[in-house]
Amino acid sequence: MVNGFAVSVPGNGHIRRELPCQDASGIWFVPRPVAIVCDGRGSARLSQLGAQAAVRAFRSQCAVLDGMLAQCLDAKRRRHGIWRHFCRLMIRTLVQPKLELAEQYGLPEKEFDFTVVFAVCGRYRHGVFQLGDGAITVRGNGMCRTVFRPDKGEFDNMTSFLRPGDEKSDRFRERLIDASEINGIALTSDGPEHLMFELPAMRPGPVFDAMFDDLASGKLTRQDLLDYLTGVRWTYDPRGADDRSIAILNPQVVI
């Protein structure tokens, strides 16, 4: 059964200062399961608008390019070049709202900065993408692992944000994963990582297994994720003031 949920909540610091949540996330199942988490840059004035617009653009572009996705995700032949081309097109797609917002508000494009992780599911393989310090966790053969190490930058709090021209660079990471190896995908912003992962190795903590099990059995609800991300535990987290996002997906696809 294909199912999943996406939740973004403001961190304690944003609540105290009456600031909006700068994360945005989404998950959809038609024409295929897809999920995305965008984490707005804390020091950017209107990064929440950039993150929200990127999530909307992602959904639309996935639908428009579903034929391309079918060629690399639903066909038996592995065609990694098509997936990488899709990722480059998606970078341009997600950057465009930033440029439009910059023109609309008369501000530099960087004032709408965000990082991004996304996953797109298919019959034979799933594609994942990461730019910045978000994380992609997958479960297969009864074990959870992160696909990439988050890009924290050369110095602390110097992560990469999506920029015009990134489609021509190698700053992003992408991969195709055999669908038969995966029965759970979770995308997270960096806000909840101190409690959800064992640091510094970024080893997924027990909470992922619990969430994946509940998702597979149909017990997990969106309210469960909200309750987890807003619980008192975050008061004692050194990063508890940061916004927090989870998009979790059971990626079984029948096409």
Side-chain angles (χ1 to χ4, degrees):
M1 178 176 64
V2 180
N3 60 347
F5 305 96
V7 172
S8 296
V9 302
N12 302 338
H14 280 200
I15 293 174
R16 286 193 299 269
R17 291 179 287 163
E18 298 184 347
L19 297 175
C21 178
Q22 292 175 303
D23 284 8
S25 58
I27 192 165
W28 301 275
F29 304 100
V30 178
R32 68 180 59 247
V34 300
I36 184 171
V37 168
C38 293
D39 183 350
R41 179 166 63 90
S43 58
R45 250 187 286 185
L46 295 172
S47 63
Q48 73 276 7
L49 299 184
Q52 293 163 8
V55 168
R56 293 191 296 269
F58 171 78
R59 181 186 188 183
S60 298
Q61 188 73 312
C62 283
V64 169
L65 298 179
D66 191 62
M68 175 187 292
L69 291 168
Q71 293 180 54
C72 60
L73 304 181
D74 302 337
K76 290 185 178 180
R77 179 185 174 188
R78 189 180 184 90
R79 305 178 72 179
H80 181 257
I82 294 178
W83 170 250
R84 190 164 181 84
H85 182 54
F86 170 83
C87 290
R88 294 188 187 279
L89 290 175
M90 189 57 75
I91 289 173
R92 294 176 64 181
T93 297
L94 302 186
V95 164
Q96 185 59 33
K98 291 180 69 183
L99 301 177
E100 294 172 1
L101 286 165
E103 181 179 4
Q104 177 184 348
Y105 284 86
L107 294 170
E109 165 263 333
K110 67 180 182 180
E111 296 297 340
F112 305 90
D113 272 350
F114 54 86
T115 66
V116 58
V117 287
F118 64 71
V120 183
C121 300
R123 181 177 183 181
Y124 289 104
R125 56 197 65 87
H126 308 314
V128 293
F129 173 99
Q130 175 184 302
L131 191 150
D133 56 9
I136 304 167
T137 300
V138 297
R139 184 167 75 168
N141 300 318
M143 296 183 61
C144 293
R145 60 182 175 88
T146 49
V147 181
F148 310 108
R149 291 295 298 270
D151 179 8
K152 296 292 186 180
E154 185 178 356
F155 304 101
D156 192 27
N157 297 321
M158 291 291 289
T159 188
S160 298
F161 295 95
L162 199 67
R163 300 285 191 198
D166 275 348
E167 73 276 8
K168 301 174 184 177
S169 74
D170 292 319
R171 295 202 310 133
F172 65 91
R173 301 168 182 173
E174 48 76 25
R175 185 172 297 174
L176 289 175
I177 305 172
D178 289 342
S180 60
E181 300 176 1
I182 301 299
N183 57 21
I185 300 174
L187 313 178
T188 49
S189 60
D190 73 324
E193 70 179 19
H194 278 72
L195 294 189
M196 296 191 74
F197 296 88
E198 296 176 15
L199 304 177
M202 281 298 292
R203 186 177 298 109
V207 65
F208 283 101
D209 277 319
M211 287 183 177
F212 285 137
D213 286 343
D214 286 350
L215 186 64
S217 66
K219 295 179 181 178
L220 188 72
T221 67
R222 187 172 185 274
Q223 187 62 49
D224 291 330
L225 293 182
L226 281 169
D227 290 345
Y228 175 75
L229 289 180
T230 57
V232 69
R233 62 179 60 84
W234 303 102
T235 304
Y236 307 103
D237 175 30
R239 289 291 303 277
D242 200 3
D243 299 333
R244 300 180 284 275
S245 289
I246 301 175
I248 187 169
L249 177 68
N250 180 344
Q252 298 174 15
V253 178
V254 178
I255 297 177

